[in-house]
Amino acid sequence: MAKTIITFLLAGFVTFSASAFAQQQTKPAEHDQHDHSGHDMSQDSSGTATDHDHDHHHDHDLSAEHPIDHSDHTMSPQSAEHGDGHHHHHMDHDHIMDHEGTMIMGQNLDKLPSSCKSISQEVEITVRAGRKYAAKFPGTAFAFDQQQWQVKPCSKVTFHFVNEDNIRHQFMMHGLPKYLYKYGMFHLEVTGPKTVSGTIIVPGSDDTFLVHCDISHHMEKGMKAQLVVGKGGENIPSIPGVTPYNINDTYEAENLPKVSDKAEQNAMVRQITTFTNNNLQNYGMMLIGVLIGLLCIPLFKKILFRKKSD
Amino acid sequence: MPIHLFIAILTFYLMLFGAGAQASLKLPETVKVDPAALTTEPMCDPKISPAWREAQEIEGVKIEASPGCSPDNPAWIAAAVKGTNHISMETLMKTGLSPDAIIKTDDLDGDGDPDRIIIKLEIMELNGKSPDFPGVIPTFDIAPGIQPGAWVFAPKTSGMSTENFESVRANPLLRLPSPVIRVEVGDIVQIVLENTHYFPHSIHLHGVDHPFSHKDHGGNDGVPQTSERELMPGERRIYEFQARQPGTMFYHCHVQTHTHLAMGLAGMIVVEENKPNNWLQTLNIGAGHVRHPSVAVKEQFDQEYDLHYHAMDKELVEIIQKYNDPRLIARDMNQRYDATDATEDYYTLNGLSFPYTLRESLIVVEPDQKIKLRLLNSGGELIAIHTHGHHATITHYDGVEHNPVAQIMRDVFDMAPAQRLDLRLETVNDGKHSYGEGDWLIHDHREKGITTNGMAEGGSMSSIVYTSYLNGSGLPKVSHFGIDLNEFFTKEYYERRYPIWQDLDETASLGSPAGQMGVNAATQTSLLNALYGLLIGLLIYLVSAKREQIKQSAAAAVSRLKSPKGSNQ
Ligand SMILES: [Cu+2]
Ligand SMILES: [Cu+2]
């Protein structure tokens, strides 16, 4: 008895862990790092209608390299007339925003983290965001094209954030040293289809940083990733294809219509005229039952015997 | 041996019963809940600056005083009146709006106000499930501790969905109800829907003069069965119209309307008469007091309020708190939820239930004023709004003016789902329009309308309160009647854990009785159950241990039964 119970428990555990494993296994996105040349290449390669390539929008793009000159846009007391004042750009050291809400916050072009003697490498990473990247992760709605990026400690990293949807998305990084980054945050935001770029210098120690979009339920529904510095730190949960969810939904098989149901229905219709056919099927099932029963007899015997010998 | 055990357990069991009988000679004492044990919230939200209540001018926009305790952020009003394209970065930063949220341009008729209006709306989820922690995010409380899952049209925002990274509370722009939209007759209005939500949605402009199909943007009625495909997540659609008639109207999502509307994708849209220099407050975020009314309203009234009544079914709104996977949410909402079995549990006025309605949905009046009230019922059932102490005149039904000579006065205003009424409330103390100054309730007179999840005091109840009855923090002055509203500002009240009549007298005669002495009923039953289990277990053990014996005796019995049969044969 005890043995059978243990066997059942084991079987349950195996199926359980198998499903958990399956979730973890869903293809850890290849973390190919985009270097300088790769960046522009990938931009060009996807010049379809939806993919508003970088070049096309270049002059609109808000990027670290071309900060908007704010000197002639300083906010003067607003005149009552409308039609002017179309552009306002907000610029202080860590907050740049244009008239469409494209935003760079917490950028760091030159301040070296205390744990770094010098910048180890300069990297450019293109991050694409959109609904279409959620397709490879069933049960999500939005995603980045990759869920994990790796850089060396003390890298100067420029992110080119390409929003391919027609709504807002964000590339928001948390947990950066607060003496360099206000609230420990680096934040790119743009309404697509459009690109925004920003630069940070990552700390000198191994660590892993959360990257997400903070628009309500974008992170919860898939738009989540991590930046791994060096060997990385603790993994961040619920990253599609990389780490399992902390809290999992339960799934049950549903009674969905199948083509084979139709065949069965047809069989039912036929049953009225030729019910022997169906009877045959029933007899077949019965026969299988009997066979199973017969096969099980020795097993039952064994169990009974053991009991008696106990 | 086991027989002895058996007997011992039986004795114990009888003793338990005896103890219970003895205790019932005297009934349990009353236990009073110590107020210190309650999580009392300040009655007035401390995050809202009292300076916001004052009459002020921002960016040249005159903003009326609003003495309630949680008035609208004046920067929101300035942005809504001027457009986010016409205000300073400093003001814009105080709003949290995206710089392209409200774009106003082109005075087409040369009357001194902009006539091309672009309003960008996003769709935001409130109180939805997280795969990371057991709570909901971003949180929006309609009453203390009450967080129904909801979806709203929100003005296009900038930055985070929560107050900040440490907080799970929603950004103040993300709230129930969907904002009130105000445009002028003749304006070329584009409502740009950017579907930031994980489900398909649309906008249907109920009552607003709009073309069925627009030459540039295609289908314009928001109905997936007649005019357009559902707007998928990540997509944008423009709804364009140029209204020829004024009136209080309604906009809502028309995808799976029986659930999406109830989830909160519903708002009031007002088309104002075309007047010169009519800079409208394009969005009234959170509805309520209109602090920058239109020219036409100012000509006839002293004040204006938008009152949006809504209702939500707990079983529906909990679906987004049960699952994170959008497929499971879709399955439960579209295929499993049965709207004909639905019962509404949460009744809100301007997105909140009592007592939060006291914070921001009071109708604050002075004697001898004319006040315009615009009412919308976006719930699924008829409501019956009663104004204590006042009869008001119905001037418009569904945005259309009622024949002035036939207009009637009532004190109960029945409103079918989707219905709008414009009322003229006159605070003239003549025994008909008003019975005088006071803190007069305004509430849905279906009694469940004053409940939250079936428990009073809650629901969409608010007050018409004269300024002489308003205290320093903008709440109704009730303490001189010995009334303490603090208990309503605790989540324990709505968790049904607070005996609401315990403080009516010194002895707490209607307070909560303590449990039984010794063992309370619940533990007693669970103990009993354990005992039964034990007895059954023992019985099984006995049966299996004495199996041979039983078998033999059974065989003997059978043979005894058989033998007379045999002898008969
Ligand atoms: Cu996003
Ligand atoms: Cu919808």
Side-chain angles (χ1 to χ4, degrees):
Chain A
M1 263 298 244
K3 244 183 205 169
T4 35
I5 287 168
I6 286 171
T7 323
F8 272 119
L9 276 176
L10 260 174
F13 179 73
V14 166
T15 41
F16 202 74
S17 49
S19 64
F21 198 62
Q23 204 198 7
Q24 274 182 5
Q25 273 216 321
T26 19
K27 244 212 264 162
E30 345 82 74
H31 357 108
D32 46 321
Q33 234 165 266
H34 293 257
D35 58 11
H36 240 308
S37 52
H39 158 55
D40 275 336
M41 295 284 285
S42 59
Q43 289 283 6
D44 292 343
S45 63
S46 51
T48 51
T50 46
D51 291 303
H52 338 279
D53 37 307
H54 198 195
D55 301 330
H56 180 85
H57 278 271
H58 202 272
D59 30 5
H60 288 301
D61 292 346
L62 196 58
S63 68
E65 289 84 26
H66 320 284
I68 298 144
D69 183 4
H70 68 302
S71 52
D72 38 14
H73 288 291
T74 35
M75 286 300 110
S76 52
Q78 200 57 53
S79 61
E81 288 117 51
H82 43 274
D84 58 11
H86 228 289
H87 300 268
H88 36 206
H89 308 285
H90 187 63
M91 281 190 56
D92 53 40
H93 286 296
D94 52 26
H95 192 167
I96 309 171
M97 184 160 74
D98 78 356
H99 65 286
E100 286 178 314
T102 308
M103 198 200 300
I104 306 166
M105 234 173 135
Q107 158 161 269
N108 174 17
L109 294 163
D110 44 21
K111 277 168 270 162
L112 216 53
S114 57
S115 46
C116 299
K117 280 189 194 127
S118 61
I119 285 165
S120 64
Q121 60 168 3
E122 293 202 14
V123 198
E124 294 197 31
I125 296 177
T126 298
V127 178
R128 290 162 184 280
R131 174 168 165 72
K132 72 176 183 195
Y133 298 110
K136 62 181 168 183
F137 305 113
T140 64
F142 301 102
F144 299 118
D145 61 335
Q146 289 171 62
Q147 283 59 48
Q148 188 165 283
W149 306 273
Q150 275 174 314
V151 294
K152 282 185 202 153
C154 306
S155 299
K156 181 173 177 178
V157 190
T158 298
F159 292 98
H160 303 286
F161 182 52
V162 186
N163 179 354
E164 298 183 2
D165 282 339
N166 287 284
I167 58 167
R168 257 187 325 137
H169 281 306
Q170 299 165 340
F171 176 91
M172 197 183 272
M173 196 181 284
H174 289 281
L176 294 164
K178 289 198 172 147
Y179 65 93
L180 287 179
Y181 302 90
K182 208 174 178 181
Y183 313 116
M185 256 170 67
F186 167 63
H187 174 179
L188 302 173
E189 175 169 334
V190 62
T191 301
K194 205 173 151 184
T195 301
V196 60
S197 304
T199 304
I200 56 165
I201 302 168
V202 301
S205 51
D206 295 339
D207 209 345
T208 297
F209 298 97
L210 165 69
V211 173
H212 71 138
C213 174
D214 195 64
I215 293 169
S216 181
H217 284 264
H218 283 208
M219 175 176 85
E220 287 75 10
K221 271 67 180 170
M223 205 165 248
K224 194 173 189 184
Q226 61 188 11
L227 177 73
V228 178
V229 174
K231 294 192 191 86
E234 215 176 299
N235 264 345
I236 286 152
S238 329
I239 296 176
V242 179
T243 54
Y245 285 1
N246 282 342
I247 298 168
N248 284 286
D249 289 332
T250 45
Y251 296 85
E252 54 190 86
E254 283 178 61
N255 179 23
L256 299 173
K258 290 182 288 288
V259 180
S260 56
D261 292 353
K262 257 188 173 166
E264 243 166 65
Q265 267 172 29
N266 288 341
M268 293 285 272
V269 175
R270 248 178 284 135
Q271 186 194 351
I272 302 165
T273 47
T274 59
F275 69 97
T276 41
N277 257 2
N278 209 41
N279 278 0
L280 255 179
Q281 212 176 346
N282 288 346
Y283 290 140
M285 283 310 288
M286 210 182 280
L287 199 75
I288 290 168
V290 169
L291 278 172
I292 289 170
L294 284 172
L295 279 168
C296 286
I297 283 175
L299 225 120
F300 281 128
K301 263 193 177 163
K302 237 181 223 173
I303 290 167
L304 279 172
F305 255 113
R306 200 173 298 158
K307 267 240 168 99
K308 268 183 192 167
S309 61
D310 281 355
Chain B
M1 232 274 278
I3 306 282
H4 295 290
L5 243 170
F6 201 83
I7 289 161
I9 287 163
L10 260 173
T11 329
F12 179 57
Y13 165 79
L14 285 172
M15 272 164 63
L16 257 178
F17 249 123
Q22 235 182 357
S24 66
L25 287 178
K26 194 187 175 214
L27 298 179
E29 296 290 317
T30 301
V31 180
K32 227 174 155 180
V33 175
D34 184 347
L38 304 172
T39 46
T40 311
E41 299 174 11
M43 298 223 284
C44 212
D45 188 347
K47 291 193 179 175
I48 291 173
S49 162
W52 285 4
R53 297 175 195 153
E54 287 153 26
Q56 50 201 288
E57 193 172 325
I58 299 179
E59 307 267 349
V61 175
K62 285 202 172 66
I63 298 167
E64 290 179 2
S66 193
C69 93
S70 297
D72 288 342
N73 179 346
W76 285 353
I77 297 164
V81 173
K82 298 295 292 285
T84 46
N85 58 325
H86 284 302
I87 52 170
S88 67
M89 184 51 75
E90 193 197 345
T91 304
L92 183 72
M93 294 310 286
K94 286 180 188 159
T95 65
L97 292 164
S98 175
D100 62 345
I102 305 163
I103 304 290
K104 298 192 171 186
T105 55
D106 302 308
D107 184 0
L108 298 171
D109 55 8
D111 70 348
D113 57 57
D115 299 314
R116 237 181 245 283
I117 314 291
I118 301 172
I119 302 158
K120 294 197 171 161
L121 297 179
E122 297 178 322
I123 297 181
M124 294 295 183
E125 179 159 316
L126 301 169
N127 302 322
K129 181 170 170 149
S130 165
D132 297 318
F133 65 95
V136 294
I137 191 165
T139 64
F140 179 78
D141 295 46
I142 61 164
I146 305 285
Q147 301 177 331
W151 301 333
V152 289
F153 294 109
K156 187 174 181 183
T157 50
S158 181
M160 309 189 71
S161 291
T162 50
E163 291 173 319
N164 54 62
F165 186 59
E166 276 81 29
S167 167
V168 292
R169 251 173 73 149
N171 176 327
L173 289 165
L174 315 187
R175 57 162 295 162
L176 284 162
S178 298
V180 179
I181 298 173
R182 262 189 170 68
V183 296
E184 200 186 19
V185 166
D187 280 354
I188 297 173
V189 181
Q190 287 192 352
I191 297 181
V192 182
L193 180 60
E194 297 187 348
N195 187 3
T196 48
H197 194 243
Y198 53 80
F199 273 174
H201 297 292
S202 75
I203 290 180
H204 169 65
L205 296 159
H206 180 140
V208 180
D209 173 27
H210 66 281
F212 182 73
S213 179
H214 189 271
K215 60 179 169 34
D216 301 327
H217 319 301
N220 208 40
D221 198 37
V223 182
Q225 292 76 39
T226 57
S227 64
E228 62 194 62
R229 296 281 310 275
E230 290 89 344
L231 184 70
M232 290 301 284
E235 293 178 352
R236 174 195 294 135
R237 181 171 292 149
I238 298 170
Y239 296 92
E240 186 169 324
F241 63 91
Q242 189 172 15
R244 290 164 291 182
Q245 301 290 339
T248 308
M249 307 302 181
F250 180 27
Y251 71 99
H252 62 85
C253 175
H254 220 296
V255 175
Q256 293 290 309
T257 322
H258 67 299
T259 56
H260 288 210
L261 202 161
M263 288 295 290
L265 293 173
M268 192 187 285
I269 176 165
V270 178
V271 182
E272 300 273 5
E273 289 171 48
N274 192 357
K275 297 273 179 179
N277 292 310
N278 201 10
W279 287 75
L280 297 176
Q281 187 184 330
T282 304
L283 297 180
N284 184 8
I285 296 161
H289 191 194
V290 185
R291 295 177 71 182
H292 188 88
S294 69
V295 170
V297 168
K298 266 191 286 193
E299 283 170 1
Q300 295 178 50
F301 296 94
D302 299 297
Q303 287 197 73
E304 182 181 18
Y305 288 84
D306 298 332
L307 305 177
H308 179 168
Y309 289 89
H310 188 64
M312 296 172 129
D313 174 19
K314 191 161 174 270
E315 280 64 44
L316 172 66
V317 300
E318 273 174 359
I319 294 173
I320 62 167
Q321 302 176 332
K322 221 189 289 180
Y323 310 106
N324 185 50
D325 189 327
R327 297 169 302 175
L328 296 176
I329 299 171
R331 179 198 67 190
D332 273 32
M333 280 206 176
N334 300 342
Q335 289 133 254
R336 297 197 174 175
Y337 179 71
D338 184 343
T340 62
D341 290 342
T343 51
E344 294 172 341
D345 300 284
Y346 302 118
Y347 300 98
T348 56
L349 168 59
N350 298 340
L352 301 173
S353 296
F354 180 89
Y356 286 171
T357 47
L358 300 180
R359 287 180 175 175
E360 56 172 87
S361 283
L362 293 176
I363 299 164
V364 181
V365 301
E366 306 259 14
D368 300 313
Q369 279 191 327
K370 280 199 186 86
I371 299 125
K372 186 170 181 69
L373 305 179
R374 297 179 192 265
L375 277 66
L376 160 68
N377 175 17
S378 68
E381 295 177 8
L382 190 115
I383 59 171
I385 303 302
H386 173 212
T387 48
H388 283 211
H390 297 82
H391 283 81
T393 308
I394 303 172
T395 60
H396 299 69
Y397 289 92
D398 298 339
V400 179
E401 189 179 15
H402 197 57
N403 180 357
V405 290
Q407 287 176 5
I408 53 163
M409 289 180 81
R410 302 184 76 171
D411 63 13
V412 177
F413 304 94
D414 53 310
M415 297 180 75
Q419 193 129 62
R420 289 88 60 209
L421 288 182
D422 290 16
L423 306 183
R424 186 176 61 239
L425 177 75
E426 291 170 69
T427 51
V428 180
N429 184 2
D430 59 2
K432 185 163 82 172
H433 292 89
S434 165
Y435 317 159
E437 298 184 33
D439 170 21
W440 300 100
L441 219 57
I442 172 170
H443 67 100
D444 182 0
H445 217 298
R446 301 171 311 147
E447 308 317 338
K448 61 183 178 183
I450 56 161
T451 67
T452 291
N453 197 16
M455 190 189 160
E457 304 298 324
S460 52
M461 180 165 76
S462 185
S463 277
I464 299 167
V465 56
Y466 287 70
T467 45
S468 57
Y469 279 80
L470 212 61
N471 71 20
S473 61
L475 286 162
K477 209 192 284 173
V478 291
S479 53
H480 59 285
F481 293 118
I483 297 170
D484 183 5
L485 297 174
N486 268 306
E487 67 197 40
F488 299 113
F489 290 86
T490 65
K491 68 179 200 301
E492 290 81 5
Y493 187 95
Y494 295 98
E495 285 169 352
R496 300 164 187 266
R497 296 174 59 208
Y498 178 75
I500 64 170
W501 281 349
Q502 77 163 18
D503 296 320
L504 290 189
D505 55 19
E506 282 303 311
T507 56
S509 61
L510 294 169
S512 176
Q516 293 287 350
M517 296 297 289
V519 191
N520 71 26
T523 33
Q524 207 170 325
T525 41
S526 55
L527 256 170
L528 275 177
N529 285 338
L531 277 172
Y532 290 142
L534 236 138
L535 285 173
I536 291 165
L538 265 170
L539 215 80
I540 290 169
Y541 171 76
L542 277 171
V543 169
S544 62
K546 312 266 170 171
R547 197 175 49 217
E548 287 309 308
Q549 234 170 298
I550 290 165
K551 245 189 202 167
Q552 275 169 22
S553 55
V558 168
S559 62
R560 232 175 285 146
L561 272 173
K562 265 185 181 168
S563 54
K565 253 191 198 170
S567 62
N568 273 358
Q569 264 180 354

